[in-house]
C-alpha cells in the first residue's frame, strides 16, 4: 500500500519554465510545486522539470532534486565537466541551501536544530519516518522568521539531504508544514492548497569561473519580504 493511492498527476502548465539564470555551463530554474523533477515510470508522468529544460537545452542534466510538491531554485549542468564539479559540491556539502516553510503552530524556541535519523516507511512509501536505530543521520537547522495566530514562517537549512527530511523533521517538532498531503494533520492540510515549502536560496561556486554565486527564487506563499542574503547566512 502506498501513501497516495488516488494520486492523479496534474503538473502546472503556467509558467511552463521559469529560468532564473543561464550561461554556457549552468542553468538555474524555479521549479513550481506539483511538477516532478525527473520523469516517472508511467507515460502520464513524463512531463517534468528535466524534460522541460531539455526541450530547449538538450545537454542539460539533473544534479540534485526537489520533491514534486516542493517549489524553488534548482541548478542543472549543461556539460559533463559542470555536472561533475557541481555534483562534487553537493556531495561534499560545499553548497548552501535555505528553504522557506510555512508551518502549523509555533516552535518553543526561535531557532534550533532537529537531529533525528530517517528511514523509508516502506509500507507507506514514499513516506519517511524517524528511526533512531536504523535511520540515516539527518540534521536540519531552523529559524523562526515571523508568526501569526495559527502558523509560523521558518527558514530551514538542511545540513544533510535525506528524502523528505524537512517535512519529517518539522512533523517531529510537532509543527507539520502547511498543505503537506503526506504528513500534515487535517488542520494544517486545510490551510494550504499546496505544500508550503520552497527552496528560496542556493549558493555555490561556478564550475568554470570559480566565482561564488547565489540565486533566489520568488515564493508564492511568502508571508512577507524575507531576505536570505548575507545577514541571514
Amino acid at each position: 500500500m502506498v501513501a497516495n493511492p488516488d494520486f492523479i498527476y496534474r503538473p502546472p502548465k503556467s509558467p511552463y519554465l521559469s529560468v532564473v539564470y543561464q550561461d554556457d555551463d549552468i542553468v538555474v530554474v524555479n521549479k513550481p510545486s506539483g511538477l516532478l523533477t525527473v520523469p516517472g515510470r508511467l507515460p502520464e508522468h513524463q512531463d517534468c522539470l528535466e524534460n522541460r529544460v531539455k526541450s530547449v537545452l538538450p545537454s542539460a542534466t539533473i544534479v540534485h532534486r526537489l520533491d514534486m510538491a516542493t517549489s524553488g531554485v534548482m541548478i542543472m549542468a549543461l556539460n559533463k565537466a559542470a555536472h561533475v564539479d557541481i555534483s562534487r559540491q553537493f556531495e561534499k556539502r560545499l553548497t548552501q541551501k535555505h528553504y522557506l516553510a510555512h508551518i502549523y503552530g509555533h516552535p518553543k524556541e526561535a531557532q534550533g536544530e532537529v537531529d533525528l535519523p530517517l528511514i523509508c516507511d516502506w509500507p507507506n512509501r514514499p513516506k519517511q519516518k524517524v528511526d533512531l536505530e536504523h535511520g540515516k543521520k539527518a540534521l536540519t537547522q531552523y529559524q523562526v522568521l515571523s508568526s501569526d495566530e495559527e502558523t509560523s514562517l521558518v527558514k530551514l537549512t538542511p545540513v544533510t539531504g535525506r528524502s523528505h527530511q524537512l517535512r519529517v523533521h518539522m512533523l517531529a517538532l510537532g509543527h507539520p508544514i502547511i498543505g503537506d498531503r503526506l504528513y500534515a494533520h487535517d488542520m494544517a492540510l486545510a490551510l494550504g492548497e499546496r505544500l508550503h515549502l520552497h527552496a528560496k536560496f542556493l549558493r555555490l561556486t561556478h564550475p568554470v569561473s570559480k566565482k561564488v554565486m547565489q540565486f533566489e527564487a520568488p515564493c508564492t506563499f511568502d508571508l512577507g519580504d524575507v531576505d536570505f542574503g548575507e545577514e541571514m547566512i
Side-chain angles (χ1 to χ4, degrees):
M1 181 178 178
V2 295
N4 264 337
D6 300 322
F7 168 71
I8 299 175
Y9 185 44
R10 295 189 179 96
K13 299 298 184 180
S14 180
Y16 188 75
L17 184 60
S18 178
V19 176
V20 176
Y21 173 84
Q22 179 189 343
D23 61 25
D24 292 338
D25 303 290
I26 61 174
V27 59
V28 179
V29 297
N30 183 9
K31 187 188 88 67
S33 174
L35 180 68
L36 290 166
T37 295
V38 297
R41 290 173 298 196
L42 299 176
E44 58 266 35
H45 295 166
Q46 297 309 296
D47 185 10
C48 62
L49 181 71
E50 180 180 34
N51 286 342
R52 289 185 183 187
V53 175
K54 279 182 173 292
S55 69
V56 291
L57 296 167
S59 67
T61 54
I62 290 289
V63 183
H64 65 123
R65 303 186 185 191
L66 291 177
D67 293 344
M68 181 188 72
T70 304
S71 59
V73 64
M74 282 189 61
I75 186 169
M76 295 177 67
L78 296 181
N79 53 64
K80 185 175 181 180
H83 185 103
V84 170
D85 187 88
I86 297 170
S87 295
R88 177 189 60 83
Q89 292 186 55
F90 275 102
E91 181 181 348
K92 295 185 177 297
R93 301 177 187 172
L94 300 176
T95 63
Q96 287 185 308
K97 295 179 289 181
H98 301 304
Y99 291 70
L100 199 61
H102 184 200
I103 62 174
Y104 190 85
H106 310 101
K108 293 180 180 178
E109 304 293 335
Q111 61 183 31
E113 62 181 33
V114 184
D115 187 359
L116 292 171
L118 302 177
I119 195 171
C120 179
D121 184 1
W122 190 249
N124 299 301
R125 62 191 185 278
K127 294 179 74 173
Q128 308 291 309
K129 65 180 181 180
V130 173
D131 188 320
L132 299 179
E133 184 177 357
H134 302 291
K136 294 182 179 179
K137 180 176 178 59
L139 177 63
T140 301
Q141 298 169 343
Y142 71 89
Q143 178 185 351
V144 177
L145 301 176
S146 62
S147 61
D148 58 23
E149 187 175 338
E150 287 188 285
T151 67
S152 300
L153 187 69
V154 294
K155 169 191 171 185
L156 300 179
T157 302
V159 179
T160 55
R162 305 300 177 197
S163 180
H164 294 186
Q165 175 178 316
L166 303 180
R167 300 162 73 175
V168 179
H169 275 176
M170 290 300 98
L171 179 67
L173 276 186
H175 304 290
I177 298 176
I178 299 301
D180 193 336
R181 297 188 179 278
L182 285 181
Y183 301 104
H185 48 59
D186 289 346
M187 291 179 290
L189 194 57
L191 292 176
E193 295 184 354
R194 55 153 290 190
L195 175 69
H196 284 200
L197 179 63
H198 179 75
K200 177 80 171 178
F201 177 96
L202 173 65
R203 174 184 286 171
L204 77 168
T205 301
H206 190 278
V208 175
S209 71
K210 303 307 177 183
K211 177 183 177 182
V212 175
M213 305 184 75
Q214 62 185 47
F215 307 99
E216 292 192 44
C219 174
T220 57
F221 65 83
D222 198 332
L223 302 185
D225 185 14
V226 179
D227 182 7
F228 277 6
E230 288 292 336
E231 71 275 10
M232 295 291 293
I233 303 302

